[in-house]
Amino acid sequence: MLFFVVFLLFSILVLRLGELQIVFGEDFQRELARTEDITISNPVPRGKMYDRYGKVIVDNTPLNAITYTKYQGVDQKKMLDTAAKLAKIINKDTSKVRERDKKDFWMMKHPKEAKAKITEKEWNQYKEKKLDDKQIYKLQLKRITDQDLDSLSADDLKTLAIFREFNSGYALTPQIVKNKDVTPEEYAAVSEDLENLPGIDTTTDWERNYVFGDTLKTILGDVSSSESGLPKDESEKYLAQGYSRNDRVGTSYLEKKYEDVLHGQKAKVKNVTNKSGKIISTEVVSEGNRGNDLVLTVDMDLQTQVEKIIEDEMWAAKRSGNTGLMDRAFVVLMDPHTGEILTMAGKKIARNPETGKLEMQDYALGTFTTSYNVGSAVKGATILTGYKTGAIKPGDSLVDEPLVIAKTPVKKSWKTFGRINDQRALQVSSNVYMWKTVIAMAGGHYAPNKALPLDLSTFDTMRKSFNQFGLGVRTGIDLPNETPGVVGPERKPGLLLDLAIGQYDMYTPLQLAQYVSTIANGGYRVQPHMVKEIREPEQDSNELGPVIEEIQPKVLNHLDMKDEWIKRVQDGFRMVFQVGDGTATGYFRSATYNPAGKTGTAQAFYYGTDRSRWGTPVMNLSLVSFAPYDNPEVAMAVVVPWAYQGNTGPAVNDLIGRRVLDAYFDLKKNRQVATDPAQTNNQTTQQTQEQQNNQNTQRTDESQVNETNQQTGETQTNQ
C-alpha cells in the first residue's frame, strides 16, 4: 500500500510537471523575458530673452554634468557602492550634508554597531510588538554619539554627499549629481568608467545667465535650481501639467509670468526595463526643443545709461546734508502710443550684508510695487477733471490769492500770482488755482474768514476721473504683484484740497508714466507691456527665430474729454518746460527735442528700511514729461521718494529727467548715424552736452525751491 501511494504521488507530480512544461512552458518563457517600456521626459534649456534690438539679456550657459538614474527596486547597498566609486573620481561639496544624513549613513556602514544601540529588553519588546520599526529607528538615531559621527572620514562624507543626491531623484529620472565646477578631467574619467558605475551618465546641463548682471534683474525674475525643483506651494499645479518634481521653473516676475513660453518641450526617452525593474536599454523618442524666446520692449543700451544716471545723481545728492533718508529713485520710459516699456529703472541704496558697505542695488520692481505721494505732477489731471465737471472752462481766469478759511492757517501758492488762467496755473504750479477748481467742483463757495463746507462725494468724482488716466488703478502691465497705489482713508475738506495737488493719495512711478502718456497721445490710456514678441528658438545661432506672436497695443479706455481740452493741457505742460518762469525751464529750456511736462514736490513721511526714523517729515520729488511736444514718441516719469528733509534740497528729479531725455535722443541720433552715416550732427550733440553740464553745476530752478517751501506748510495746514 505504501509503495502504491508513493507511486501514485510521483505519477501525479510527473503529470503536473509535464503540463507545466508542455502546456504552459511558452507562457512562462515569455514571462521571464517580459520587459516594460517606460517613457521619461527630460528637461531642456529655457528660452532666451532679448531686448528690442536683439541683444541677449538672459541666456543659458552650458555645463558639464554628471547624473544618476535610479531604477525601480535598486538595492541601497549597490547605490552606496556606486557612490563610493564615484567619490574616488570627482570632488563633491559636503557642506549640505546634515547631521541626520550622517547618522543614517553611519548606520548603513555599521549595521552591527547600530543594532547594538538597542538593548536586549527593547529587542524583546520589539518581538512582542510593543515597539515597532519606527520607534526602534528613532532610538538608534538618538543614541548615535558625536564620537560615532567623528569616525566618518572625509571620503565617507564625500560618498554620503553623492549618495544623498542619488536618493533625491525619482525612479528612472536622471538626477543631477554635479553640474557646477565639473573639471574636464572629472568628466573624462567618469565617461571612461561608466561600465563600473551603474546608473551614472555624463551629459550637458545648463545654467541661467543674466548677461547684464543686476541690471533689470528684479524684473527678469529667478529660476529654481534642480535641487530645489518645483515650489512647494505650486507643485500640484506643475505636476498636473507634466512637470517633474526636480524641474526648474520660473519663480518670480518675467521668468514666472511667461513660464509656459520659456520652459520648452521636453525630450522624451524610452527606458526598457526587465522584470526586476533594471534598465536594459534606452531609446530617444523625441529630442525636445528649448523654450521659445521673449523679445522685450526694453532698450538695454538706454536702460544701462538710465541706471548710471540715477546712480550718479543719487550719490551726488547724498553729499547734501539733508538727504540722509533718500535711498531710492525710479525712472520709467514708455512709448505713449503702444505702451512699450523702453526703460524700467529703479535703484536703491542698501547695506551689503557681507561687506557692511552701502551700495546701489537694482530695484526696478519698485516702479510698480511701491507707491508714493507725487505732488504737483498730477495737476494736469486736476485741470482736465475741472473741465469735465464744468467747474472751470478752458481759458478761465481765477485769482491766485492767499485763502483765509475760518479756523485754518492761511493757504497760498509759493507766490501770489494774481489773476491767472488754467495754462498759467500749470506753468507756475499754482496751488490756489487747483484748490478753487476743486471748491467749485464740490459745490463750495470761498469767502475770506468764512467756513468752507464741501461736498465730500467729490472724492469719488476726482478719483474716478484720475483712474481714467491710470492714477490709483493697476496699469495692467504684464508682470505680477502690481499695486494699485494707496487711497487715503479719511474724507475731510482739507484732504480733498490735498488730493488736487497730489498730496494725499499715493501712486506708483509706472502709474505716473501711464498718466502722462494718456495726456501725450491725446487721451488714450494704453496698457504698458514688457514683452514685445514671442519667437521660435534658433538652435544653431544667437539670431532671432520666426515670430510666433507679436504683442499688440491695447487701449484700456479713452478719456471722455474734448480733444481741445487735452491739447490745452499739453500746451500748459510745454510752458512748464519752455516758457518764462515755468517750474522746469531752468533745466529744459535749452533742450532741442521740444519737451513738455510737469514737476512735482510733495510733503510726505518716511517709511523706509530704517524703522527708527519712521514718520520723519520728508519731501518727495517727481517729474512727468513727453517729447517732442508736437509729436510725442517717448513719455517719462521720475520719482525720488524722501529726497530731502526741510524746505529745500537738490532737484534730483529735474537733474535725472534732463539727462535721461538727453540720453534717449542721443541714442536715437547715434543709431540713425550708424544706419545712415550722412545723418551726422556731432556739433549739436556736443553743445547740448555742454549746456547740460553747466546746468548740473548749480540749481537755477528758483521756482522749484519756492514751490517746495510753500507745499511744506500747505500739507501741515490741510491735515
Side-chain angles (χ1 to χ4, degrees):
M1 287 294 295
L2 180 62
F3 175 80
F4 178 75
V5 170
V6 171
F7 174 77
L8 182 61
L9 292 174
F10 270 97
S11 299
I12 294 172
L13 178 62
V14 170
L15 290 173
R16 181 59 178 160
L17 289 174
E19 179 187 26
L20 290 175
Q21 184 172 359
I22 298 170
V23 178
F24 299 107
E26 292 185 4
D27 293 339
F28 286 115
Q29 289 280 358
R30 285 194 294 271
E31 179 65 19
L32 288 173
R34 181 175 64 84
T35 61
E36 186 175 357
D37 296 345
I38 301 176
T39 301
I40 299 297
S41 296
N42 291 332
V44 293
R46 292 173 71 81
K48 300 179 182 181
M49 297 187 200
Y50 297 84
D51 84 341
R52 64 187 299 110
Y53 295 109
K55 285 191 173 182
V56 178
I57 302 175
V58 184
D59 202 350
N60 301 305
T61 300
L63 301 171
N64 285 334
I66 298 168
T67 65
Y68 176 77
T69 303
K70 178 169 61 175
Y71 64 86
Q72 295 173 341
V74 63
D75 181 72
Q76 291 285 302
K77 189 176 184 307
K78 291 182 179 179
M79 290 175 63
L80 190 60
D81 290 341
T82 302
K85 292 177 183 177
L86 187 60
K88 296 178 181 178
I89 303 175
I90 68 172
N91 287 319
K92 179 66 177 176
D93 179 25
T94 62
S95 61
K96 294 182 180 179
V97 174
R98 302 167 301 174
E99 182 177 305
R100 174 65 174 270
D101 297 324
K102 293 179 182 179
K103 289 183 175 181
D104 286 333
F105 184 70
W106 184 87
M107 287 194 290
M108 289 183 66
K109 286 204 66 177
H110 305 90
K112 292 182 179 179
E113 291 86 342
K115 186 176 182 179
K117 296 289 183 182
I118 305 301
T119 65
E120 184 177 350
K121 179 181 178 181
E122 288 166 340
W123 281 122
N124 289 333
Q125 290 176 329
Y126 175 75
K127 292 176 183 177
E128 296 170 0
K129 296 186 178 181
K130 294 180 180 179
L131 292 175
D132 57 23
D133 290 328
K134 189 175 182 180
Q135 291 171 314
I136 292 292
Y137 173 67
K138 286 183 177 180
L139 289 172
Q140 288 175 313
L141 289 177
K142 186 178 181 180
R143 292 168 184 173
I144 294 174
T145 64
D146 292 339
Q147 185 177 359
D148 292 331
L149 298 182
D150 290 341
S151 67
L152 297 176
S153 65
D155 287 340
D156 287 336
L157 292 179
K158 193 162 62 169
T159 299
L160 171 56
I162 294 172
F163 182 71
R164 184 172 178 268
E165 298 291 353
F166 286 3
N167 276 315
S168 62
Y170 299 91
L172 304 180
T173 300
Q175 170 67 22
I176 298 292
V177 176
K178 184 177 181 181
N179 64 351
K180 291 184 179 180
D181 303 320
V182 177
T183 66
E185 292 77 13
E186 288 177 336
Y187 193 82
V190 173
S191 298
E192 291 174 0
D193 202 26
L194 291 179
E195 290 184 3
N196 297 317
L197 299 168
I200 297 294
D201 197 5
T202 52
T203 184
T204 301
D205 194 32
W206 55 272
E207 183 179 47
R208 211 61 166 151
N209 176 26
Y210 299 91
V211 178
F212 290 84
D214 288 338
T215 299
L216 210 61
K217 181 65 174 62
T218 55
I219 297 294
L220 298 174
D222 292 305
V223 175
S224 63
S225 65
S226 57
E227 182 176 332
S228 60
L230 302 179
K232 289 184 179 179
D233 57 341
E234 297 181 290
S235 60
E236 295 301 324
K237 178 188 76 173
Y238 285 119
L239 290 172
Q241 296 174 5
Y243 285 77
S244 300
R245 292 189 181 275
N246 59 349
D247 278 349
R248 284 166 280 189
V249 298
T251 57
S252 61
Y253 296 97
L254 283 175
E255 291 278 19
K256 181 176 181 178
K257 177 73 174 181
Y258 288 91
E259 170 64 28
D260 58 336
V261 173
L262 294 168
H263 81 274
Q265 182 179 352
K266 290 184 174 184
K268 294 187 181 297
V269 177
K270 182 170 70 175
N271 292 317
V272 180
T273 62
N274 59 19
K275 188 179 179 181
S276 63
K278 188 174 182 179
I279 300 173
I280 57 176
S281 67
T282 59
E283 177 185 346
V284 176
V285 178
S286 63
E287 294 289 348
N289 293 305
R290 73 171 176 85
N292 292 325
D293 297 330
L294 296 180
V295 177
L296 305 186
T297 60
V298 173
D299 177 352
M300 287 305 289
D301 288 337
L302 182 60
Q303 177 78 26
T304 53
Q305 287 193 36
V306 170
E307 291 192 6
K308 180 66 165 55
I309 290 168
I310 294 174
E311 292 184 13
D312 290 346
E313 296 301 337
M314 285 186 70
W315 286 128
K318 292 291 283 185
R319 290 192 285 269
S320 300
N322 56 350
T323 58
L325 294 177
M326 180 183 68
D327 68 349
R328 62 195 65 188
F330 307 97
V331 174
V332 177
L333 292 174
M334 64 183 284
D335 185 323
H337 301 287
T338 66
E340 293 181 358
I341 298 294
L342 308 176
T343 292
M344 183 175 278
K347 285 292 180 178
K348 181 168 65 175
I349 299 175
R351 198 169 295 279
N352 187 307
E354 296 180 359
T355 65
K357 296 181 179 180
L358 291 176
E359 64 181 15
M360 284 284 181
Q361 297 178 356
D362 179 64
Y363 195 39
L365 66 85
T367 56
F368 61 93
T369 62
T370 61
S371 52
Y372 310 93
N373 298 119
V374 298
S376 300
V378 306
K379 287 179 178 176
T382 302
I383 291 292
L384 285 165
T385 303
Y387 295 159
K388 182 179 179 181
T389 59
I392 57 173
K393 297 188 298 295
D396 274 359
S397 293
L398 299 175
V399 177
D400 184 299
E401 60 184 340
L403 300 184
V404 184
I405 304 170
K407 299 181 181 181
T408 302
V410 176
K411 299 171 68 63
K412 57 184 180 179
S413 299
W414 63 271
K415 175 181 176 181
T416 300
F417 293 100
R419 185 164 290 278
I420 58 175
N421 67 10
D422 47 348
Q423 288 186 321
R424 175 70 174 157
L426 289 173
Q427 179 189 10
V428 297
S429 199
S430 167
N431 288 335
V432 173
Y433 195 98
M434 306 301 151
W435 290 332
K436 287 190 173 183
T437 298
V438 174
I439 290 170
M441 202 183 306
H445 176 72
Y446 168 72
N449 298 305
K450 301 291 184 181
L452 184 61
L454 299 176
D455 180 1
L456 298 183
S457 67
T458 308
F459 272 104
D460 297 327
T461 302
M462 289 191 64
R463 283 170 174 156
K464 287 178 182 178
S465 178
F466 278 30
N467 291 167
Q468 294 300 299
F469 294 86
L471 297 172
V473 291
R474 291 183 175 87
T475 65
I477 191 168
D478 52 343
L479 290 168
N481 303 328
E482 181 185 9
T483 177
V486 177
V487 175
E490 296 185 84
R491 294 193 174 203
K492 297 178 181 179
L495 296 176
L496 180 60
L497 301 185
D498 286 344
L499 180 63
I501 61 171
Q503 292 275 114
Y504 190 39
D505 288 359
M506 299 183 186
Y507 311 114
T508 69
L510 183 60
Q511 287 173 341
L512 276 189
Q514 190 180 55
Y515 148 73
V516 74
S517 294
T518 304
I519 292 176
N521 66 30
Y524 295 90
R525 184 165 77 99
V526 182
Q527 181 177 339
H529 56 100
M530 287 289 294
V531 175
K532 183 179 177 67
E533 297 169 340
I534 300 173
R535 289 178 175 257
E536 291 182 7
E538 282 288 345
Q539 301 294 342
D540 300 326
S541 70
N542 281 328
E543 295 181 1
L544 293 171
V547 175
I548 298 174
E549 180 182 356
E550 184 175 359
I551 309 302
Q552 299 297 325
K554 183 178 181 180
V555 176
L556 300 177
N557 62 266
H558 182 259
L559 297 180
D560 183 19
M561 298 176 184
K562 296 179 180 180
D563 290 344
E564 54 264 34
W565 296 351
I566 299 172
K567 289 178 181 177
R568 189 165 181 82
V569 170
Q570 289 175 345
D571 197 46
F573 277 18
R574 179 189 62 81
M575 294 167 64
V576 172
F577 273 43
Q578 300 186 43
V579 177
D581 55 352
T583 57
T585 53
Y587 295 90
F588 289 93
R589 193 200 313 268
S590 63
T592 59
Y593 38 79
N594 197 13
K598 184 73 187 74
T599 57
T601 310
Q603 184 190 18
F605 298 96
Y606 174 78
Y607 286 102
T609 55
D610 186 355
R611 297 179 69 92
S612 66
R613 303 292 300 277
W614 275 18
T616 302
V618 288
M619 288 295 182
N620 293 348
L621 299 180
S622 64
L623 179 73
V624 294
S625 176
F626 56 89
Y629 155 74
D630 51 351
N631 186 24
E633 62 182 73
V634 62
M636 176 181 70
V638 180
V639 178
V640 187
W642 318 320
Y644 54 84
Q645 299 166 254
N647 294 334
T648 61
V652 192
N653 54 336
D654 294 322
L655 293 167
I656 290 175
R658 174 61 195 262
R659 290 184 62 188
V660 166
L661 286 182
D662 284 352
Y664 171 84
F665 285 101
D666 285 346
L667 268 174
K668 178 185 175 182
K669 186 179 297 183
N670 292 337
R671 287 192 174 107
Q672 290 173 340
V673 170
T675 305
D676 184 1
Q679 300 180 27
T680 57
N681 196 358
N682 294 330
Q683 183 177 0
T684 302
T685 302
Q686 291 172 356
Q687 290 174 348
T688 302
Q689 186 65 41
E690 290 171 359
Q691 291 169 347
Q692 175 216 323
N693 291 337
N694 291 335
Q695 291 163 354
N696 288 348
T697 61
Q698 59 182 354
R699 181 183 173 115
T700 61
D701 189 4
E702 181 179 352
S703 59
Q704 177 76 24
V705 174
N706 292 331
E707 182 188 357
T708 299
N709 290 337
Q710 180 54 34
Q711 290 187 351
T712 302
E714 288 163 4
T715 302
Q716 292 171 340
T717 299
N718 295 340
Q719 294 182 355

